[in-house]
Amino acid sequence: MAYYHLLLCILLCSSYYSIVLAVNLNNFAVVPARSFEPEAACSTSSASSDPNRASVPLVHRHGPCAPSAASGGKPSLAERLRRDRARANYIVTKATGGRTAATALSDAAGGGTSIPTFLGDSVDSLEYVVTLGIGTPAVQQTVLIDTGSDLSWVQCKPCGAGECYAQKDPLFDPSSSSSYASVPCDSDACRKLAAGAYGHGCTGVSGGAAALCEYGIEYGNRATTTGVYSTETLTLKPGVVVADFGFGCGDHQHGPYEKFDGLLGLGGAPESLVSQTSSQFGGPFSYCLPPTSGGAGFLTLGAPPNSSSSTAASGLSFTPMRRLPSVPTFYIVTLTGISVGGAPLAIPPSAFSSGMVIDSGTVITGLPATAYAALRSAFRSAMSEYRLLPPSNGGVLDTCYDFTGHANVTVPTISLTFSGGATIDLAAPAGVLVDGCLAFAGAGTDNAIGIIGNVNQRTFEVLYDSGKGTVGFRAGAC
């Protein structure tokens, strides 16, 4: 009888542990160690934007899918993180009404970096570009996308020696376009530009012509662009054009720009592409950031079919989105919980009370201190098999691993839950790790506004709908 009891226990216990193992494995991703190496070739087969919407391909600016001349000279990880920290500090400062960002995002080397509030937005760490046509006939321009900026611009002729930086494409020549028009100083458009904090006064032109409206932006990295505020035809893709698009025709640029042709502002203020095309495309827009720098995603204006609160119909999970009346640029969502390997972390909801700016240009997600401490502890425990490296890269990332000698790496899933119940499982490892480091950082205090960076957003279609006041997520979109 004891034998049969033992046999029954072995069978039941084996079955129980098999079930537990299967459940646990569902919360981990086993990936080849070589997947952490940079891609040498471009793969564009995974993008799945809606062909009936105004979609354009989107790629990493330093990856093999970017235009060849624009992809050289990739900065080091330490330099990218330095820029990223400056951008994040700037966004937090602006979103909190100019309060010092040093208390909001910590620096392991001791204290944060205070970035003054400048006219414009911090552009320096942006990583994704799209290629559009501007003018008639359309001339290709490769521009950075940025949900943290509003006014779009490209470099224009004439541009004196030292006044424009080297870029991939020839400078846009307004005199060669039949649809170009400069905006007069004495116009409603110029007055609205000044009211929106992008005005730079007016300039006269030779021959006694009327004064023209000038724009001016100084970014958080002290880079500047100034020129003539203008309107032009923008071609998103063949047959899909935006007429009379207001943009900056830049003739004086200074700062650490890197070969891109300009910037496409996707923020929420009236000067952005999104706001200017709301009557044409309805107001919503979305993008999908590819999982690797060797892949392609998309940027789309307009809502997908069935993009309602019904996740079954659209594949989207929605969370409420709010805006700051004093800073309409930013899109803010509220985190309510984080899970690691399927286990919810013990984080008080009050830690997330200030919300999170969701941003296409920031790389690393900045969490309130209590939330980050819980995430780091759980993640390190789940990754205890691998050698933890000492903090480097300026101390921004403190959970980095050496995967030498491992053919495969097992990475725990990280899930983010937002107000309204929307939960997304970050792509692993692409949405969790950057160069072998956990793509999160801690804030100096709780209750500080955070930022959801672009690493966490990889492979999701992220749909911004200001009209409905929601942000939607669709997994596996690119």
Side-chain angles (χ1 to χ4, degrees), residues 35 37-42 63-64 291-295:
S35 64
E37 300 173 0
E39 300 79 20
C42 174
T292 67
S293 61

Short mmCIF file of all heavy atoms in Angstrom, two decimals, residues 35 37-42 63-64 291-295:
data_model
loop_
_atom_site.label_atom_id
_atom_site.label_comp_id
_atom_site.label_asym_id
_atom_site.label_seq_id
_atom_site.Cartn_x
_atom_site.Cartn_y
_atom_site.Cartn_z
N SER A 35 21.18 37.80 -30.00
CA SER A 35 20.14 38.79 -30.29
C SER A 35 20.47 40.15 -29.69
O SER A 35 19.83 41.15 -30.03
CB SER A 35 18.78 38.31 -29.77
OG SER A 35 18.79 38.19 -28.36
N GLU A 37 23.35 41.56 -30.12
CA GLU A 37 24.35 42.18 -30.98
C GLU A 37 23.68 43.08 -32.01
O GLU A 37 22.55 42.81 -32.44
CB GLU A 37 25.17 41.10 -31.69
CG GLU A 37 25.92 40.17 -30.72
CD GLU A 37 26.57 39.01 -31.44
OE1 GLU A 37 26.44 38.94 -32.69
OE2 GLU A 37 27.19 38.18 -30.76
N PRO A 38 24.35 44.16 -32.44
CA PRO A 38 23.76 45.07 -33.44
C PRO A 38 23.52 44.35 -34.77
O PRO A 38 24.27 43.45 -35.16
CB PRO A 38 24.83 46.17 -33.61
CG PRO A 38 25.67 46.08 -32.38
CD PRO A 38 25.66 44.64 -31.96
N GLU A 39 22.45 44.74 -35.46
CA GLU A 39 22.13 44.14 -36.75
C GLU A 39 22.99 44.75 -37.85
O GLU A 39 23.25 45.95 -37.85
CB GLU A 39 20.66 44.35 -37.10
CG GLU A 39 19.70 43.75 -36.09
CD GLU A 39 19.55 44.62 -34.86
OE1 GLU A 39 19.87 45.82 -34.94
OE2 GLU A 39 19.15 44.09 -33.83
N ALA A 40 23.39 43.90 -38.78
CA ALA A 40 24.20 44.39 -39.89
C ALA A 40 23.38 44.64 -41.14
O ALA A 40 23.82 45.31 -42.06
CB ALA A 40 25.32 43.37 -40.20
N ALA A 41 22.15 44.09 -41.18
CA ALA A 41 21.32 44.22 -42.37
C ALA A 41 19.95 44.74 -41.97
O ALA A 41 19.51 44.61 -40.83
CB ALA A 41 21.19 42.88 -43.08
N CYS A 42 19.26 45.31 -42.96
CA CYS A 42 17.93 45.87 -42.74
C CYS A 42 16.87 44.82 -43.05
O CYS A 42 16.93 44.14 -44.07
CB CYS A 42 17.74 47.09 -43.62
SG CYS A 42 16.07 47.79 -43.57
N GLY A 63 20.47 52.87 -37.53
CA GLY A 63 20.44 51.47 -37.93
C GLY A 63 20.64 51.29 -39.42
O GLY A 63 20.68 52.25 -40.19
N PRO A 64 20.75 50.04 -39.86
CA PRO A 64 21.00 49.76 -41.28
C PRO A 64 19.83 50.10 -42.19
O PRO A 64 20.01 50.15 -43.41
CB PRO A 64 21.30 48.25 -41.29
CG PRO A 64 20.66 47.72 -40.05
CD PRO A 64 20.76 48.81 -39.04
N PRO A 291 11.54 46.50 -33.07
CA PRO A 291 12.23 45.91 -31.92
C PRO A 291 13.73 46.08 -31.94
O PRO A 291 14.37 46.04 -30.89
CB PRO A 291 11.83 44.43 -31.99
CG PRO A 291 11.48 44.20 -33.42
CD PRO A 291 10.87 45.48 -33.89
N THR A 292 14.30 46.24 -33.12
CA THR A 292 15.74 46.41 -33.24
C THR A 292 16.03 47.56 -34.20
O THR A 292 15.17 47.98 -34.97
CB THR A 292 16.42 45.13 -33.77
OG1 THR A 292 16.00 44.92 -35.13
CG2 THR A 292 16.05 43.92 -32.92
N SER A 293 17.27 48.02 -34.17
CA SER A 293 17.65 49.11 -35.07
C SER A 293 17.72 48.65 -36.52
O SER A 293 17.81 49.48 -37.43
CB SER A 293 18.99 49.71 -34.65
OG SER A 293 20.01 48.73 -34.71
N GLY A 294 17.66 47.33 -36.75
CA GLY A 294 17.68 46.80 -38.11
C GLY A 294 16.31 46.52 -38.67
O GLY A 294 16.18 45.96 -39.76
N GLY A 295 15.26 46.91 -37.95
CA GLY A 295 13.90 46.68 -38.41
C GLY A 295 13.22 47.97 -38.79
O GLY A 295 13.76 49.07 -38.61
#
